[in-house]
Amino acid sequence: MKPILLKNTLTVNEGDTFETDVLIRGEYIERIDKNISSSNAQIIDFKGNLLLPGVIDDQVHFREPGLTHKGNIATESRAAIAGGITSFMEQPNTNPQTTTIKKLEDKFELAKSSSFANYSFLFGGTNDNLEELKKLDKKSCSGVKLFLGSSTGNMLVDDEKVLEQIFLNTDMVISTHCEDEGTIRANLAKYQQEFGDAIPIKYHPIIRSEEACYLSSSKAIALAKKTGARLHVFHLSTGKETNLFRNDIPLREKKITAEVCIHHLWFSDIDYEEKGTLIKWNPAVKTASDKDQLWQALLDNRIDVIATDHAPHTIYEKMNDYVNAPSGGPLVQHALPAMLQKNAQGLIPLEKIVQKMCHSPAILFDIEKRGFVKEGYFADLVQVSQDSKWQVKKDNIFYKCGWSPFEGVTFDSEVKRTFVNGHLAFDNGVLSKERNAKRLTFDR
């Protein structure tokens, strides 16, 4: 592969923004310096555009195997690349579920032949697979996922003795979906008695309430403190939960960490009137006050990671009544532009975006040689123009499901190019047909 020389970049990395050139040779970043010259390199002039590390999304649902009418590893990883996401960690609630090592390795084989972005998969803990969980190779699996709230099949872990044993028996990151099942069921029964299945969507954040979230997350944190487990709480949605987390120590020293998702930073309960079930997620999008408190916790480092929880469904599925409309929506293509829009509005510095979307996932999950613009690291890189206005429309959406909760939104920043392991995978609206993705490895 011919070397690639990126000239005149404005690189954002490790809390700094600076002008530099970057030389890519093969899969790696070979040199970062000003005024690099190379006689045989392909030269790409950034003309002052941003150069960011490739985004690492620690929570996606790409729907393969078993749910591929919604999306699959190939389609959704291509959409991710179009949005500057070069690595992802996919969740275990597929069909079949990823709850045995055999099923986990089957997924890796699927991704090996179909993914356009770097990949890993979380292993799903259940009430009855502790012995299997103990056999996981911590260097080749991103971690363990536990559903402590409503899920599918037998993936709801509600046996407290088993839960404690899982926390005691893995030194990998345990990522949790935290909502209290009893609280949710009681709330749902109350509103179903009044409305049947056609509950107005505005009651979603009341059914899947602040109390349900806080009860579950505080319980998980208490158990992590008791057992010494390494806990990562996925998709915080309430201001109250943010007070459970620390910001007085560096991320590398934290044993209990938190994530927030794009939709909880962008939408609030006032948006249900316009968007309806298109913004039905679990945990629910809640109040404007919750959104503001999530932003504050993100900025002051109580929240460590920004992710998507990308979870596509067909538009026909989402148009069902409240009870039958599935939760989740597609986000990987528009997550980085959405955060850059918040930067343009003065809400978050560029350096903080890169910290939360690139550096922190790499640190938190001990990912080898990714998440930074560094010599010797894999060349997972993103070029962004900050003055390219574009509107999200059906004809520029790459998701298999063909819709986005951001339709009609105009962004000021646009992903121009995405490199995956030194390969130009996305170039000004055109996705490469070649794959150069790798299985993520972990330095543990």
Side-chain angles (χ1 to χ4, degrees):
M1 193 173 5
K2 193 174 182 181
I4 300 172
L5 178 55
L6 311 180
K7 297 289 291 183
N8 304 310
T9 77
L10 187 62
T11 294
V12 186
N13 190 61
E14 295 188 281
D16 195 11
T17 299
F18 53 96
E19 296 177 0
T20 192
D21 298 343
V22 175
L23 180 63
I24 301 169
R25 191 178 299 276
E27 297 178 335
Y28 298 97
I29 299 170
E30 181 175 277
R31 187 179 171 199
I32 302 169
D33 206 347
K34 289 190 175 181
N35 303 313
I36 299 174
S37 60
S38 177
S39 60
N40 66 334
Q42 174 190 351
I43 295 174
I44 299 176
D45 190 348
F46 270 46
K47 299 178 181 177
N49 280 183
L50 297 178
L51 177 66
L52 313 179
V55 172
I56 301 171
D57 193 344
D58 75 359
Q59 188 187 180
V60 303
H61 303 262
F62 281 178
R63 303 306 191 192
E64 191 173 3
L67 302 165
T68 53
H69 67 286
K70 304 172 188 279
N72 58 53
I73 291 170
T75 60
E76 307 314 285
S77 64
R78 282 164 66 83
I81 286 168
I85 294 171
T86 55
S87 299
F88 64 85
M89 299 181 198
E90 212 261 355
Q91 303 304 300
N93 55 332
T94 46
N95 185 19
Q97 297 160 350
T98 318
T99 55
T100 68
I101 291 173
K102 171 67 165 58
K103 293 293 189 291
L104 180 65
E105 288 304 320
D106 286 348
K107 258 195 185 180
F108 277 113
E109 284 301 308
L110 276 173
K112 184 178 180 180
S113 61
S114 62
S115 185
F116 288 81
N118 304 310
Y119 52 90
S120 192
F121 299 93
L122 276 75
F123 181 88
T126 71
N127 285 329
D128 53 16
N129 72 344
L130 177 61
E131 294 307 311
E132 192 82 350
L133 186 149
K134 290 178 182 178
K135 300 173 188 175
L136 288 172
D137 178 1
K138 65 183 181 180
K139 289 185 176 293
S140 63
C141 172
S142 50
V144 175
K145 171 69 175 287
L146 299 179
F147 289 89
L148 307 184
S150 298
S151 182
T152 56
N154 70 336
M155 293 200 71
L156 174 62
V157 183
D158 56 3
D159 185 321
E160 293 191 9
K161 290 182 180 179
V162 170
L163 191 60
E164 183 166 344
Q165 285 302 307
I166 291 173
F167 273 59
L168 284 167
N169 281 281
T170 180
D171 55 2
M172 287 191 292
V173 179
I174 299 171
S175 298
T176 53
H177 176 133
C178 289
E179 291 184 285
D180 183 69
E181 183 70 8
T183 301
I184 293 168
R185 285 180 179 172
N187 291 339
L188 180 60
K190 172 186 172 183
Y191 285 96
Q192 275 191 299
Q193 187 173 13
E194 182 176 354
F195 297 104
D197 286 354
I199 300 169
I201 185 64
K202 67 181 181 180
Y203 293 112
H204 186 53
I206 300 171
I207 293 168
R208 304 190 82 95
S209 63
E210 175 192 81
E211 179 189 16
C213 295
Y214 187 82
L215 278 173
S216 184
S217 54
S218 58
K219 178 180 175 181
I221 289 167
L223 185 57
K225 289 178 177 177
K226 175 183 176 181
T227 59
R230 176 68 186 82
L231 174 67
H232 183 51
V233 181
F234 274 163
H235 46 43
L236 292 192
S237 64
T238 74
K240 187 175 182 179
E241 288 172 285
T242 64
N243 296 314
L244 296 167
F245 299 90
R246 297 176 63 175
N247 64 356
D248 59 335
I249 55 174
L251 175 59
R252 293 183 189 276
E253 297 176 19
K254 290 186 180 184
K255 294 209 73 174
I256 298 171
T257 52
E259 169 204 283
V260 67
C261 289
I262 298 297
H263 45 285
H264 293 122
L265 294 172
W266 188 277
F267 299 104
S268 73
D269 57 358
I270 64 172
D271 296 304
Y272 285 115
E273 184 174 355
E274 176 190 351
K275 295 288 185 177
T277 52
L278 295 182
I279 61 166
K280 183 187 178 190
W281 277 281
N282 299 340
V285 168
K286 295 185 174 65
T287 68
S289 175
D290 285 306
K291 183 175 73 170
D292 291 345
Q293 291 176 74
L294 290 169
W295 271 107
Q296 183 56 50
L298 178 70
L299 293 169
D300 71 20
N301 295 325
R302 282 173 290 155
I303 294 177
D304 304 286
V305 170
I306 300 170
T308 67
D309 196 13
H310 173 90
H313 301 283
T314 69
I315 193 67
Y316 304 104
E317 291 169 330
K318 291 294 280 185
M319 288 295 104
N320 274 310
D321 59 40
Y322 172 78
V323 169
N324 295 298
S327 293
L331 283 166
V332 288
Q333 186 183 344
H334 304 106
L336 180 57
M339 292 307 299
L340 292 169
Q341 194 65 25
K342 295 301 182 182
N343 166 257
Q345 295 167 1
L347 193 54
I348 183 171
L350 285 171
E351 296 83 1
K352 185 72 77 172
I353 293 172
V354 169
Q355 176 192 349
K356 302 299 184 180
M357 299 186 82
C358 310
H359 303 337
S360 291
I363 293 168
L364 197 155
F365 287 92
D366 305 300
I367 302 170
E368 289 186 321
K369 295 186 177 181
R370 301 190 192 276
F372 295 83
V373 183
K374 282 186 178 181
E375 292 177 357
Y377 271 53
F378 288 103
D380 296 341
L381 301 167
V382 183
Q383 178 185 356
V384 172
S385 170
Q386 290 181 283
D387 58 359
S388 296
K389 286 187 182 295
W390 64 287
Q391 187 178 67
V392 180
K393 301 176 181 178
K394 288 199 181 296
D395 62 4
N396 58 26
I397 290 172
F398 287 100
Y399 311 127
K400 184 175 183 178
C401 66
W403 67 274
S404 166
F406 285 105
E407 280 178 62
V409 172
T410 297
F411 292 124
D412 294 326
S413 296
E414 185 175 20
V415 173
K416 292 295 187 181
R417 293 184 174 94
T418 303
F419 297 85
V420 178
N421 301 311
H423 169 63
L424 184 54
F426 179 73
D427 187 0
N428 288 285
V430 179
L431 285 157
S432 171
K433 294 179 181 178
E434 298 177 27
R435 291 182 299 101
N436 200 43
K438 288 182 171 294
R439 179 172 175 166
L440 296 178
T441 56
F442 304 90
D443 184 17
R444 298 167 175 154

